[in-house]
Amino acid sequence: MTSLLIRNASIARPDGSTFEGDLLCADGRIARIARRLGAEADETIDAAGKLLLPGVIDAQVHFREPGREYKEDLASGARAAVKGGVTGFLDMPNTDPPTVSQAALDDKLGRAAEKCVANYGFFIGATPDNLDEINRAAPACGIKVFMGASTGSLLVDRPEDLERIFANGTRLIAVHAEDEARIRARAGEFAGRTDPATHSLVRDNESARLATARALALAQKYRRRLHVLHLSTREEVELLRRDKPAWVTAEATPNHLFLDVRDYASKGTLVQMNPPLRAPEDSAALWRGLRDGTIDFIATDHAPHTLEEKHRGYPQAPSGMPGVETSLPLMLTAYKDGRCTLAEIQKWMCWGPAQAYRIPNKGKIVEGWDADLTLVDMDSTRPVRDEDMLTKVRWSPFSGRELVGWPIYTIVGGAIAYDKGRIREGVRGKALQFQI
Ligand code: DOR
């Protein structure tokens, strides 16, 4: 049994209040929290009054292994995660080969067990003809359906295929909700334009609204668990606010919360993603949706592409941007600026995703729960710098922003994985469990 004692921390409670004291991790769990613990431990950290938070669960990342390891792999993605205070991640199936079978899922789980310093889980990808696989493959956090094509080959856009997937099975379906037919038609209309802002015109608000409405109708018809990934428009927020059954959840990304179409002017194709950046009014609607509970949590959609690829110009540049190591400092800076509370951050980034994906014992600092934690520095401000990034592609769309809340230590299963700027390479995360 290994143990870790964290002394003198400002420990975040789920309700957003803090408790000044010590926390003992033993055997992967939070063993005790008290004003002052006398216990001896294998290792002791002096937190010096810094803020101790539950580890973040980033429920949407693209770590590119297998197939595109030159952009990211499970080891580098997990290292970037713990640097950002993320102790668990859910990885998307649009790898090469795509994760559309038990064999492909087993392959990823095996690779992750060997090299990830964070906890991990994987989606199984839907195709028009793998219904048995998507319902049986285990352990999987859910079924990913690309209703609109994005990076990779996965696509389910025919209504009859979608209907069959929603009608058969019980596990959560997570949708990339953009309407493929509308996008194709609009791509034709805008052909020849090379201004990156065109991306937001081709894949317009209505493309997202149409697909989200279709998924929602199917979830209602079949009472099927649905998670709407990366909500981006005010129209989708309104749709869900009007009518969101208890078995439906939704997420927003920091990209859509902190960037908008005005950023094309300075960042060009670097900020090209799917669904695209929207108007400032859409970002404001996402913030309101988070605050009133219409949107359940935040995930990054960490989707790294190399600078060389991103600089190919529009429309050749691939869509997506890295984000796993900047989401918590971005949100903690928003907290410091009065835009949200510490309770909301824990709900949106820690226990919200755990609850949606039914991951037990994670996301709150409670005795007996898993010792996945991050100690952050709210007192000093540091800029995001490309050269500091641990993602293989080594750039960030937030480069230059001054942020607080950078992790000092990140603890995975009671072991220090991120230690003041260094990764402890020997630490291994575990496969996340998903209750049925
Ligand atoms: O912009 C995106 N990039 N959106 C997605 O849905 C996929 C992602 C990627 O894998 O590059």
Side-chain angles (χ1 to χ4, degrees), residues 205 232-239 279 281-282 285-286 288:
N205 284 32
S232 61
T233 67
R234 65 199 105 159
E235 290 85 352
E236 292 166 286
V237 176
E238 262 145 46
L239 192 69
E281 294 77 18
D282 293 293
L286 296 176
R288 282 197 300 277

Side-chain angles (χ1 to χ4, degrees), residues 164-181:
R164 195 169 56 252
I165 291 168
F166 274 84
N168 295 283
T170 55
R171 66 165 43 148
L172 177 146
I173 297 173
V175 291
H176 178 121
E178 288 189 283
D179 187 80
E180 183 66 13

